[in-house]
Protein backbone atom coordinates (compact mmCIF):
# COMPACT_ATOMS: atom_id res chain seq x y z
CA UNK A 1 0.00 0.00 0.00
CA UNK A 2 1.28 3.48 -0.85
CA UNK A 3 2.80 5.35 2.06
CA UNK A 4 0.31 7.72 3.72
CA UNK A 5 1.97 11.09 4.16
CA UNK A 6 0.71 13.66 6.64
CA UNK A 7 -0.90 15.53 3.75
CA UNK A 8 -2.76 12.42 2.60
CA UNK A 9 -3.94 11.63 6.16
CA UNK A 10 -5.19 15.20 6.63
CA UNK A 11 -6.95 15.15 3.25
CA UNK A 12 -8.70 11.93 4.24
CA UNK A 13 -9.73 13.51 7.55
CA UNK A 14 -10.92 16.59 5.69
CA UNK A 15 -12.71 14.96 2.75
CA UNK A 16 -13.89 11.51 3.78
CA UNK A 17 -14.67 12.33 7.39
CA UNK A 18 -15.31 16.08 7.21
CA UNK A 19 -13.39 16.35 10.46
CA UNK A 20 -11.24 19.34 9.50
CA UNK A 21 -11.29 22.35 7.16
CA UNK A 22 -8.84 23.08 4.37
CA UNK A 23 -7.36 25.92 6.41
CA UNK A 24 -6.74 23.66 9.40
CA UNK A 25 -5.15 21.06 7.10
CA UNK A 26 -2.87 23.80 5.73
CA UNK A 27 -2.03 25.05 9.25
CA UNK A 28 -1.02 21.59 10.46
CA UNK A 29 1.12 21.01 7.37
CA UNK A 30 2.88 24.36 7.94
CA UNK A 31 3.53 23.49 11.60
CA UNK A 32 4.92 20.09 10.54
CA UNK A 33 7.35 21.78 8.14
CA UNK A 34 8.47 24.12 10.94
CA UNK A 35 9.07 21.04 13.13
CA UNK A 36 11.18 19.54 10.33
CA UNK A 37 13.30 22.73 10.28
CA UNK A 38 13.63 22.63 14.08
CA UNK A 39 14.66 18.97 13.89
CA UNK A 40 17.40 19.85 11.39
CA UNK A 41 18.66 22.73 13.56
CA UNK A 42 18.75 20.50 16.66
CA UNK A 43 20.50 17.75 14.71
CA UNK A 44 23.40 20.06 13.90
CA UNK A 45 24.04 20.60 17.63
CA UNK A 46 27.43 22.14 18.26
CA UNK A 47 28.16 22.15 14.52
CA UNK A 48 25.39 24.67 13.98
CA UNK A 49 26.44 27.04 16.73
CA UNK A 50 22.97 26.68 18.27
CA UNK A 51 23.81 25.17 21.66
CA UNK A 52 24.06 27.06 24.91
CA UNK A 53 22.34 30.08 26.38
CA UNK A 54 20.76 32.84 24.32
CA UNK A 55 21.69 35.37 27.01
CA UNK A 56 18.02 36.35 27.57
CA UNK A 57 15.11 35.25 29.81
CA UNK A 58 11.58 34.36 28.72
CA UNK A 59 8.33 35.55 30.26
CA UNK A 60 8.61 32.71 32.76
CA UNK A 61 11.90 34.19 33.97
CA UNK A 62 13.72 31.14 32.60
CA UNK A 63 17.05 31.52 30.81
CA UNK A 64 16.46 30.96 27.10
CA UNK A 65 18.61 28.57 25.10
CA UNK A 66 19.62 29.63 21.61
CA UNK A 67 17.47 26.80 20.26
CA UNK A 68 14.44 28.04 22.26
CA UNK A 69 14.65 31.37 20.47
CA UNK A 70 15.46 29.81 17.08
CA UNK A 71 12.56 27.33 17.34
CA UNK A 72 10.18 30.14 18.29
CA UNK A 73 11.33 32.22 15.31
CA UNK A 74 10.95 29.25 12.93
CA UNK A 75 7.33 28.72 14.05
CA UNK A 76 6.49 32.45 13.81
CA UNK A 77 8.07 32.85 10.36
CA UNK A 78 6.42 29.69 9.02
CA UNK A 79 2.94 30.56 10.21
CA UNK A 80 2.38 34.29 9.88
CA UNK A 81 2.03 34.62 6.07
CA UNK A 82 -0.29 31.75 5.15
CA UNK A 83 -3.69 33.34 5.79
CA UNK A 84 -4.89 30.57 8.13
CA UNK A 85 -4.05 32.23 11.44
CA UNK A 86 -5.27 35.28 13.34
CA UNK A 87 -2.62 35.19 16.08
CA UNK A 88 -0.05 33.00 17.83
CA UNK A 89 1.04 32.63 21.46
CA UNK A 90 4.20 30.99 22.74
CA UNK A 91 5.88 30.10 26.00
CA UNK A 92 8.76 32.28 24.79
CA UNK A 93 6.71 35.46 24.29
CA UNK A 94 4.97 37.54 26.95
CA UNK A 95 2.13 38.60 24.62
CA UNK A 96 0.42 37.07 21.59
CA UNK A 97 2.01 37.64 18.17
CA UNK A 98 -0.56 39.15 15.81
CA UNK A 99 -0.48 38.27 12.12
CA UNK A 100 0.96 41.41 10.45
CA UNK A 101 -1.62 43.39 8.48
CA UNK A 102 0.35 42.84 5.24
CA UNK A 103 -0.74 39.18 5.42
CA UNK A 104 -4.28 37.72 5.16
CA UNK A 105 -5.94 36.99 8.49
CA UNK A 106 -7.25 33.49 9.20
CA UNK A 107 -9.75 31.93 11.58
CA UNK A 108 -7.38 29.96 13.84
CA UNK A 109 -5.23 30.65 16.88
CA UNK A 110 -2.03 28.69 17.45
CA UNK A 111 -0.28 28.25 20.80
CA UNK A 112 3.01 26.45 21.20
CA UNK A 113 5.92 25.58 23.39
CA UNK A 114 8.53 25.77 20.63
CA UNK A 115 11.10 23.65 22.40
CA UNK A 116 10.01 21.83 25.54
CA UNK A 117 12.60 20.23 27.77
CA UNK A 118 15.30 22.65 26.68
CA UNK A 119 17.39 21.86 29.78
CA UNK A 120 18.05 18.58 27.93
CA UNK A 121 19.29 20.18 24.70
CA UNK A 122 22.94 20.49 25.73
CA UNK A 123 23.03 16.92 27.05
CA UNK A 124 21.58 15.41 23.87
CA UNK A 125 18.38 14.02 25.41
CA UNK A 126 15.04 14.01 23.54
CA UNK A 127 13.16 17.32 23.45
CA UNK A 128 10.05 18.42 21.61
CA UNK A 129 7.63 20.99 20.23
CA UNK A 130 4.07 21.09 21.60
CA UNK A 131 1.23 22.89 19.80
CA UNK A 132 -2.49 23.53 20.14
CA UNK A 133 -5.04 24.98 17.70
CA UNK A 134 -8.15 26.95 18.66
CA UNK A 135 -10.75 28.79 16.59
CA UNK A 136 -10.50 32.56 16.90
CA UNK A 137 -13.80 33.73 18.46
CA UNK A 138 -16.07 35.80 16.20
CA UNK A 139 -15.49 39.50 16.82
CA UNK A 140 -12.37 38.94 18.91
CA UNK A 141 -10.45 42.13 19.67
CA UNK A 142 -7.09 41.64 17.94
CA UNK A 143 -6.28 45.37 17.82
CA UNK A 144 -3.24 44.97 20.09
CA UNK A 145 -1.27 42.04 21.52
CA UNK A 146 -2.57 42.93 24.99
CA UNK A 147 -6.20 42.87 23.77
CA UNK A 148 -5.67 39.64 21.84
CA UNK A 149 -4.87 37.60 24.97
CA UNK A 150 -8.60 37.26 25.74
CA UNK A 151 -9.23 35.41 22.46
CA UNK A 152 -6.91 32.60 23.60
CA UNK A 153 -8.57 32.07 26.99
CA UNK A 154 -10.71 29.08 25.93
CA UNK A 155 -10.97 25.73 27.75
CA UNK A 156 -9.04 22.76 26.36
CA UNK A 157 -12.30 21.22 25.12
CA UNK A 158 -12.36 24.00 22.50
CA UNK A 159 -9.13 22.78 20.84
CA UNK A 160 -9.64 21.66 17.23
CA UNK A 161 -6.20 20.05 16.98
CA UNK A 162 -3.21 19.30 19.20
CA UNK A 163 0.13 17.66 18.65
CA UNK A 164 3.78 17.37 19.48
CA UNK A 165 6.99 16.66 17.65
CA UNK A 166 9.53 14.62 19.58
CA UNK A 167 13.16 15.06 18.48
CA UNK A 168 14.74 11.77 19.51
CA UNK A 169 16.53 8.95 17.70
CA UNK A 170 13.79 9.56 15.14
CA UNK A 171 11.69 12.68 14.75
CA UNK A 172 7.99 11.91 15.22
CA UNK A 173 4.86 14.02 14.86
CA UNK A 174 1.99 12.88 17.10
CA UNK A 175 -1.31 14.51 16.17
CA UNK A 176 -5.02 14.56 16.89
CA UNK A 177 -7.72 16.52 15.05
CA UNK A 178 -10.37 15.06 17.34
CA UNK A 179 -10.58 11.73 15.55
CA UNK A 180 -8.07 9.62 17.50
CA UNK A 181 -4.27 9.93 17.64
CA UNK A 182 -1.93 9.31 14.71
CA UNK A 183 1.89 9.02 14.69
CA UNK A 184 4.04 10.16 11.76
CA UNK A 185 7.74 9.41 11.35
CA UNK A 186 9.97 11.93 9.58
CA UNK A 187 11.56 10.46 6.45
CA UNK A 188 14.54 12.81 6.14
CA UNK A 189 15.34 11.69 2.59
CA UNK A 190 11.83 12.52 1.37
CA UNK A 191 11.41 15.46 3.76
CA UNK A 192 7.98 14.02 4.62
CA UNK A 193 6.19 12.84 7.76
CA UNK A 194 4.92 9.31 6.98
CA UNK A 195 2.03 7.72 8.90
CA UNK A 196 3.43 4.88 11.03
CA UNK A 197 0.61 4.39 13.56
CA UNK A 198 -3.03 5.49 13.93
CA UNK A 199 -5.75 5.05 16.56
CA UNK A 200 -3.17 4.98 19.36
CA UNK A 201 -4.63 3.35 22.50
CA UNK A 202 -3.05 3.87 25.94
CA UNK A 203 -3.42 0.78 28.20
CA UNK A 204 -5.80 1.58 31.08
CA UNK A 205 -3.40 0.00 33.60
CA UNK A 206 0.35 0.37 34.00
CA UNK A 207 3.35 -0.50 36.14
CA UNK A 208 5.37 2.62 35.27
CA UNK A 209 5.20 6.08 36.80
CA UNK A 210 6.97 9.33 35.97
CA UNK A 211 7.54 12.02 38.60
CA UNK A 212 10.51 14.07 39.83
CA UNK A 213 11.15 12.27 43.15
CA UNK A 214 13.41 15.11 44.35
CA UNK A 215 10.24 17.07 45.10
CA UNK A 216 8.71 14.36 47.32
CA UNK A 217 8.86 16.38 50.54
CA UNK A 218 6.82 19.16 48.86
CA UNK A 219 3.96 16.98 47.56
CA UNK A 220 0.41 17.06 48.91
CA UNK A 221 -0.81 14.05 50.90
CA UNK A 222 -2.73 12.26 48.08
CA UNK A 223 0.39 12.14 45.87
CA UNK A 224 2.57 11.13 48.83
CA UNK A 225 0.13 8.26 49.50
CA UNK A 226 -0.05 7.15 45.85
CA UNK A 227 3.73 7.14 45.24
CA UNK A 228 4.38 5.36 48.56
CA UNK A 229 1.84 2.68 47.60
CA UNK A 230 3.54 2.16 44.22
CA UNK A 231 6.94 1.94 45.93
CA UNK A 232 5.49 -0.76 48.25
CA UNK A 233 5.17 -2.96 45.16
CA UNK A 234 3.62 -6.44 45.13
CA UNK A 235 3.41 -6.58 48.92
CA UNK A 236 1.70 -3.20 49.06
CA UNK A 237 -1.98 -2.22 48.55
CA UNK A 238 -1.61 -1.99 44.75
CA UNK A 239 -0.37 -5.58 44.54
CA UNK A 240 2.20 -5.07 41.79
CA UNK A 241 5.78 -3.87 41.38
CA UNK A 242 6.19 -0.53 39.60
CA UNK A 243 9.07 0.96 37.61
CA UNK A 244 9.96 4.67 37.39
CA UNK A 245 11.08 6.86 34.52
CA UNK A 246 11.73 10.65 34.49
CA UNK A 247 13.26 12.17 31.34
CA UNK A 248 12.46 15.76 32.41
CA UNK A 249 11.19 16.44 28.89
CA UNK A 250 7.39 16.31 29.05
CA UNK A 251 7.22 15.37 25.36
CA UNK A 252 9.52 12.38 25.87
CA UNK A 253 7.68 11.20 29.00
CA UNK A 254 4.27 11.64 27.37
CA UNK A 255 5.42 9.84 24.22
CA UNK A 256 6.53 6.86 26.29
CA UNK A 257 3.05 6.78 27.81
CA UNK A 258 1.49 7.04 24.33
CA UNK A 259 3.63 4.07 23.32
CA UNK A 260 3.33 1.68 26.31
CA UNK A 261 1.16 3.32 28.98
CA UNK A 262 2.20 4.88 32.29
CA UNK A 263 1.30 7.79 34.51
CA UNK A 264 3.02 11.21 34.38
CA UNK A 265 2.73 13.56 37.34
CA UNK A 266 3.87 17.11 37.86
CA UNK A 267 1.56 17.71 40.84
CA UNK A 268 0.97 20.82 42.85
CA UNK A 269 3.61 21.06 45.56
CA UNK A 270 4.24 23.51 48.39
CA UNK A 271 7.06 25.31 46.57
CA UNK A 272 4.92 25.81 43.45
CA UNK A 273 1.60 26.54 45.19
CA UNK A 274 1.81 30.32 44.67
CA UNK A 275 2.22 29.96 40.90
CA UNK A 276 -0.32 27.15 40.58
CA UNK A 277 2.00 24.44 39.33
CA UNK A 278 5.00 23.97 37.02
CA UNK A 279 3.54 23.19 33.59
CA UNK A 280 1.69 25.71 31.44
CA UNK A 281 -1.97 25.16 30.63
CA UNK A 282 -2.33 26.67 27.15
CA UNK A 283 0.62 25.07 25.37
CA UNK A 284 1.66 22.08 27.50
CA UNK A 285 -1.18 20.69 29.64
CA UNK A 286 -4.11 21.31 27.26
CA UNK A 287 -2.59 19.87 24.05
CA UNK A 288 -1.18 16.88 25.93
CA UNK A 289 -4.51 16.34 27.71
CA UNK A 290 -6.39 16.32 24.38
CA UNK A 291 -3.94 13.80 22.92
CA UNK A 292 -4.05 11.57 26.01
CA UNK A 293 -7.88 11.56 26.12
CA UNK A 294 -8.10 10.92 22.37
CA UNK A 295 -5.90 7.85 23.00
CA UNK A 296 -8.20 6.57 25.78
CA UNK A 297 -6.24 7.97 28.72
CA UNK A 298 -7.16 10.57 31.35
CA UNK A 299 -5.69 13.96 32.32
CA UNK A 300 -6.51 15.87 35.52
CA UNK A 301 -4.96 18.39 37.90
CA UNK A 302 -5.70 15.87 40.66
CA UNK A 303 -8.90 17.77 41.35
CA UNK A 304 -10.46 18.42 37.91
CA UNK A 305 -10.29 17.39 34.26
CA UNK A 306 -7.60 19.57 32.61
CA UNK A 307 -9.64 20.15 29.45
CA UNK A 308 -12.48 21.69 31.49
CA UNK A 309 -10.34 24.44 33.03
CA UNK A 310 -11.43 27.96 32.05
CA UNK A 311 -8.07 29.77 31.54
CA UNK A 312 -7.63 33.12 33.28
CA UNK A 313 -4.15 34.02 31.99
CA UNK A 314 -2.21 33.10 28.86
CA UNK A 315 0.79 31.67 30.77
CA UNK A 316 -1.27 30.08 33.55
CA UNK A 317 0.34 27.07 35.21
CA UNK A 318 -1.53 23.96 36.42
CA UNK A 319 -0.74 20.65 38.13
CA UNK A 320 -0.70 17.76 35.65
CA UNK A 321 -1.53 14.08 36.22
CA UNK A 322 -2.06 12.16 32.97
CA UNK A 323 -1.79 8.75 31.35
CA UNK A 324 -3.32 5.29 31.93
CA UNK A 325 -6.91 5.93 32.88
CA UNK A 326 -7.24 3.56 35.85
CA UNK A 327 -4.13 4.97 37.53
CA UNK A 328 -5.10 8.60 36.92
CA UNK A 329 -8.58 7.87 38.28
CA UNK A 330 -7.03 6.25 41.36
CA UNK A 331 -4.76 9.16 42.37
CA UNK A 332 -7.46 11.70 41.42
CA UNK A 333 -9.80 9.78 43.72
CA UNK A 334 -7.29 10.13 46.56
CA UNK A 335 -7.57 13.92 46.19
CA UNK A 336 -11.34 13.69 46.67
CA UNK A 337 -11.10 11.83 49.98
P1 LIG B 1 11.95 19.33 36.47
C1 LIG B 1 10.88 21.06 30.99
O1 LIG B 1 11.53 22.19 31.52
C2 LIG B 1 9.51 20.94 31.66
O2 LIG B 1 8.75 22.08 31.39
C3 LIG B 1 8.81 19.68 31.17
O3 LIG B 1 9.13 19.37 29.86
C4 LIG B 1 9.31 18.62 32.13
O4 LIG B 1 8.36 17.57 32.33
C5 LIG B 1 9.51 19.41 33.43
O5 LIG B 1 9.69 20.78 33.06
C6 LIG B 1 10.75 18.93 34.17
O6 LIG B 1 10.77 19.62 35.40
O7 LIG B 1 11.51 20.08 37.69
O8 LIG B 1 11.99 17.84 36.67
O9 LIG B 1 13.21 19.86 35.82
Amino acid sequence: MAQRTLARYLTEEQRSKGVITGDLKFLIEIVSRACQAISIAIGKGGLGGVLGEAGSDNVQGEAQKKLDVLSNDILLDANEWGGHLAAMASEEMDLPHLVPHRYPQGEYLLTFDPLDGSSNIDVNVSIGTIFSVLKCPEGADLSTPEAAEAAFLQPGTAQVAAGYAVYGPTTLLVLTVGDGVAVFTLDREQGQFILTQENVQIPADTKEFAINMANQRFWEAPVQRYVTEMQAGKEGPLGKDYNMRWVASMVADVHRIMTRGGIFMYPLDSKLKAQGGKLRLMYEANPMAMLIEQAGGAATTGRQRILDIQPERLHQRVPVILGSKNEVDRVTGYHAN
Side-chain angles (χ1 to χ4, degrees):
M1 179 180 176
Q3 285 187 327
R4 290 167 72 194
T5 61
L6 173 65
R8 176 172 173 170
Y9 173 86
L10 292 171
T11 302
E12 289 162 358
E13 289 300 303
Q14 175 197 359
R15 295 225 180 102
S16 59
K17 300 186 179 177
V19 170
I20 61 172
T21 65
D23 264 4
L24 181 55
K25 173 176 174 292
F26 182 62
L27 165 53
I28 295 170
E29 285 191 63
I30 293 286
V31 170
S32 78
R33 292 206 191 329
C35 292
Q36 283 189 46
I38 293 169
S39 176
I40 291 166
I42 290 167
K44 288 185 178 139
L47 300 176
V50 293
L51 296 183
E53 305 290 330
S56 52
D57 288 351
N58 65 15
V59 63
Q60 330 282 343
E62 296 160 345
Q64 291 177 303
K65 302 281 190 180
K66 288 177 187 169
L67 272 172
D68 285 325
V69 176
L70 176 61
S71 302
N72 195 62
D73 290 347
I74 288 171
L75 280 158
L76 292 178
D77 296 347
N79 280 288
E80 66 177 2
W81 53 268
H84 48 285
L85 273 184
M88 292 177 257
S90 162
E91 178 190 69
E92 301 303 330
M93 304 183 303
D94 187 8
L95 295 169
H97 176 87
L98 303 178
V99 170
H101 291 304
R102 64 182 179 280
Y103 296 127
Q105 307 287 305
E107 62 177 317
Y108 292 106
L109 300 174
L110 178 68
T111 72
F112 49 83
D113 180 354
L115 205 55
D116 180 71
S118 44
S119 63
N120 279 321
I121 295 173
D122 297 348
V123 295
N124 201 29
V125 169
S126 297
I127 48 185
T129 297
I130 310 170
F131 65 92
S132 165
V133 184
L134 296 161
K135 292 284 289 286
C136 187
E138 289 293 324
D141 178 358
L142 303 178
S143 55
T144 65
E146 291 79 1
E149 178 166 344
F152 286 85
L153 303 183
Q154 304 175 46
T157 47
Q159 293 174 106
V160 294
Y164 60 81
V166 49
Y167 311 112
T170 63
T171 288
L172 303 177
L173 180 72
V174 180
L175 173 72
T176 183
V177 294
D179 184 34
V181 175
V183 180
F184 301 84
T185 301
L186 179 59
D187 179 333
R188 295 183 187 281
E189 288 160 5
Q190 291 188 63
Q192 293 265 26
F193 278 104
I194 305 298
L195 183 69
T196 43
Q197 188 181 355
E198 57 185 321
N199 299 322
V200 173
Q201 290 300 314
I202 298 172
D205 293 300
T206 184
K207 295 179 179 178
E208 198 160 62
F209 68 97
I211 195 166
N212 182 339
M213 291 297 290
N215 297 324
Q216 181 156 23
R217 64 190 183 281
F218 303 118
W219 298 336
E220 296 181 303
V223 175
Q224 295 277 8
R225 172 186 172 190
Y226 179 55
V227 173
T228 302
E229 288 178 354
M230 290 190 286
Q231 288 175 304
K234 219 189 291 302
E235 294 70 40
L238 303 185
K240 55 185 174 178
D241 291 337
Y242 284 76
N243 193 19
M244 199 206 94
R245 287 284 183 274
W246 187 250
V247 183
S249 276
M250 186 185 195
V251 174
D253 283 313
V254 169
H255 189 67
R256 185 187 56 255
I257 290 168
M258 278 288 178
T259 306
R260 66 187 191 212
I263 182 167
F264 171 96
M265 293 176 279
Y266 213 112
L268 193 61
D269 70 38
S270 54
K271 67 181 173 36
L272 294 168
K273 206 167 184 78
Q275 61 189 49
K278 161 97 183 212
L279 302 176
R280 274 66 56 152
L281 176 61
M282 297 306 294
Y283 37 80
E284 289 175 326
N286 267 343
M288 290 309 199
M290 181 180 184
L291 286 158
I292 290 287
E293 287 199 4
Q294 283 286 319
T300 76
T301 62
R303 293 181 169 83
Q304 72 175 111
R305 183 185 180 218
I306 285 175
L307 293 181
D308 288 339
I309 296 172
Q310 174 53 51
E312 293 166 6
R313 298 177 311 284
L314 186 59
H315 299 290
Q316 181 172 337
R317 295 170 187 258
V318 292
V320 176
I321 297 175
L322 59 76
S324 293
K325 185 169 182 351
N326 293 344
E327 297 287 343
V328 173
D329 289 352
R330 179 198 308 282
V331 62
T332 302
Y334 289 175
H335 284 75
N337 294 346

